[in-house]
Amino acid sequence: MRHQRQVEFLERVANAGPHLEGLHGESSMINSASAYTDPDRFAVEQRVLFRDGPVFFAMSVDLPDPGSYRATTFDGIPLVVVRQADGSLRAVVNACRHRGAALVETHSQGTGLRVFSCPYHSWTYDTAGSLTARPMSAGAFDDVTLNCDLHQRAVAEKHGMIFVRPGGTEPIDVDQFLSGAEDDLGAFDLGSYTFIDSRTNEWDFNWKLVFDTFTESYHIRTLHKQTLAPTFDSDGVIFEPFGRNLVSIGLRKSVREEVAKPRDEWSLLPYGTIQYFLVPNGLVVHQVDHVEVWTVEPLGVGRVRTTTAMYAPTPPASDKAHNYFMKNLDLLEQVTGTEDFPVMERIYANLASGALPELVYGRLEQPLIHFHTQINQAYATATA
């Protein structure tokens, strides 16, 4: 992040008052419980946000070399993205054109892929998706006039991140999608980071609740009393919208010492958890000395799969250095897995019961308000 941007953010903190009340928004928000529990609404969200896209797919370093690939699903659409010999990317539907079998495991990644070979009848495709062989078929398909190459999907890469459009081939303009966040994200040089490890879990709550828990620090003093509260400020966060996306910056309590220094010495990075929400499914988090990335896959109106990955700015020089980042990943999974997400499961159960018709978001929860305002607008436009 450019130094001037860091200074601009810290000026907001310096002028925000003793309880950061100056960071609060202009108004609160009431949101319907049905935004989380209505299966018909969920189906619309899946179509307009996840299928139509674009959506965040992975970091560039997740597919480092030709033949590197990753497969996942969006709104049920199985996709696999492969790094080509020339360094470009191809995104194809992970289904053989013969009888529809998956060419690679639905949730998998690997390296050294040379061809796609269907496990059902061995139809073979190159990594760009072109059909190259229908072995042992004795000419039985020679009269087929249909183009049987794999179905293509739009994919784009910039600023060390990869985006796909699961439902079509309309080109993706990454900077247009980021809507201004590209300046910050580009400055982090994410393409130079090194992948450390990742963890995948499933939870019984609506996908939006994953993001809800990251959008405010108000809960830290209570929910994270023993883990995060001694270090992190609970009074407020720095918020800035980028179109549908946003940045929410959680602050360490020691940030007040930083703003007491001369302005030309200010640095936000040691004091902020800088979270870029790439709506609908990505969260890129810059911590003091590493980057965490969350991806979200809705499985049902009340079921979600989360993947958390850890990245280091340079390859760890020793086992000790590698273990340091692994311990950070373990801590992240412990806090979210034993404190945040179990509460989200109970919240979802309460909302699904029908006994609680709405939720209230306060002015100190502006990232939360922006996130849901954008989702609500997308839903309203799709159903108008």
Side-chain angles (χ1 to χ4, degrees):
M1 179 183 288
R2 292 184 295 106
H3 181 256
Q4 183 56 39
R5 285 280 285 164
Q6 297 181 54
V7 171
E8 290 170 3
F9 284 137
L10 286 172
E11 283 177 341
R12 299 187 198 180
V13 176
N15 297 325
H19 296 289
L20 302 181
E21 58 270 22
L23 298 180
H24 295 180
E26 295 181 357
S27 60
S28 58
M29 176 182 177
I30 296 173
N31 202 19
S32 172
S34 65
Y36 298 91
T37 62
D38 181 359
D40 293 333
R41 174 181 171 128
F42 172 76
V44 173
E45 291 174 347
Q46 286 284 276
R47 175 173 57 82
V48 301
L49 296 173
F50 289 85
R51 180 177 289 254
D52 293 347
V55 295
F56 174 68
F57 183 81
M59 301 288 278
S60 294
V61 295
D62 294 327
L63 303 176
D65 305 309
S68 300
Y69 71 93
R70 171 176 284 187
T72 189
T73 62
F74 297 96
D75 190 25
I77 296 176
L79 292 185
V80 57
V81 175
V82 188
R83 181 78 66 185
Q84 304 296 300
D86 64 359
S88 65
L89 295 170
R90 284 293 184 99
V92 297
V93 176
N94 183 21
C96 179
R97 294 299 304 279
H98 176 209
R99 300 275 291 279
L103 299 168
V104 297
E105 289 295 325
T106 303
H107 293 93
S108 66
Q109 66 182 68
T111 59
L113 183 71
R114 296 180 181 273
V115 297
F116 291 108
S117 181
C118 179
Y120 197 8
H121 298 92
S122 294
W123 278 31
T124 305
Y125 306 82
D126 64 24
T127 58
S130 297
L131 178 66
T132 59
R134 294 180 290 218
M136 303 300 292
S137 59
F141 298 92
D142 290 352
D143 62 332
V144 175
T145 58
L146 180 71
N147 182 334
C148 289
D149 295 342
L150 298 179
H151 285 296
Q152 302 284 322
R153 291 295 185 262
V155 59
E157 181 177 30
K158 198 171 184 180
H159 309 303
M161 299 174 290
I162 300 168
F163 298 83
V164 296
R165 192 181 304 279
T169 58
E170 180 185 349
I172 300 167
D173 185 326
V174 173
D175 285 350
Q176 183 181 54
F177 170 79
L178 293 175
S179 301
E182 66 273 11
D183 180 64
D184 290 352
L185 289 166
F188 284 121
D189 192 20
L190 297 173
S192 68
Y193 276 66
T194 297
F195 172 75
I196 300 296
D197 200 1
S198 65
R199 310 281 170 77
T200 297
N201 295 284
E202 294 185 14
W203 302 93
D204 288 326
F205 53 77
N206 182 264
W207 67 275
K208 293 185 288 293
L209 285 165
V210 176
F211 295 106
D212 284 13
T213 195
F214 290 104
T215 52
E216 43 82 17
S217 62
Y218 184 41
H219 69 282
I220 288 178
R221 61 167 55 88
T222 305
L223 185 61
H224 304 308
K225 185 175 182 179
Q226 302 300 324
T227 51
L228 303 182
T231 303
F232 288 91
D233 198 299
S234 296
D235 288 334
V237 298
I238 302 171
F239 160 68
E240 189 164 307
F242 298 105
R244 183 179 285 173
N245 308 305
L246 66 107
V247 64
S248 175
I249 305 176
L251 300 166
R252 294 172 182 262
K253 293 179 178 179
S254 53
V255 72
R256 300 172 194 276
E257 301 171 7
E258 186 71 4
V259 296
K261 300 177 182 177
R263 270 177 169 72
D264 59 358
E265 297 179 13
W266 283 2
S267 175
L268 173 64
L269 300 185
Y271 304 96
T273 297
I274 308 174
Q275 305 173 124
Y276 292 91
F277 291 70
L278 305 178
V279 179
N281 71 312
L283 182 63
V284 177
V285 184
H286 182 275
Q287 297 281 18
V288 174
D289 55 11
H290 62 272
V291 165
E292 304 156 1
V293 174
W294 291 80
T295 52
V296 171
E297 181 187 350
L299 303 177
V301 65
R303 185 75 172 170
V304 64
R305 177 184 287 116
T306 62
T307 299
T308 316
M310 174 72 62
Y311 300 85
T314 58
S318 64
D319 289 343
K320 180 179 180 181
H322 183 269
N323 290 338
Y324 166 80
F325 293 111
M326 291 297 294
K327 287 179 180 178
N328 274 272
L329 181 58
D330 290 340
L331 177 61
L332 178 63
E333 187 169 56
Q334 176 200 346
V335 172
T336 57
T338 65
E339 297 177 2
D340 291 282
F341 293 158
V343 169
M344 297 303 109
E345 288 191 321
R346 291 191 288 273
I347 288 172
Y348 181 76
N350 289 341
L351 297 175
S353 74
L356 192 65
E358 71 281 308
L359 294 177
V360 180
Y361 311 146
R363 292 190 299 111
L364 77 172
E365 299 171 314
Q366 284 303 293
L368 180 66
I369 291 173
H370 177 79
F371 173 68
H372 282 279
T373 298
Q374 295 300 312
I375 301 299
N376 290 351
Q377 288 178 355
Y379 173 73
T381 299
T383 56

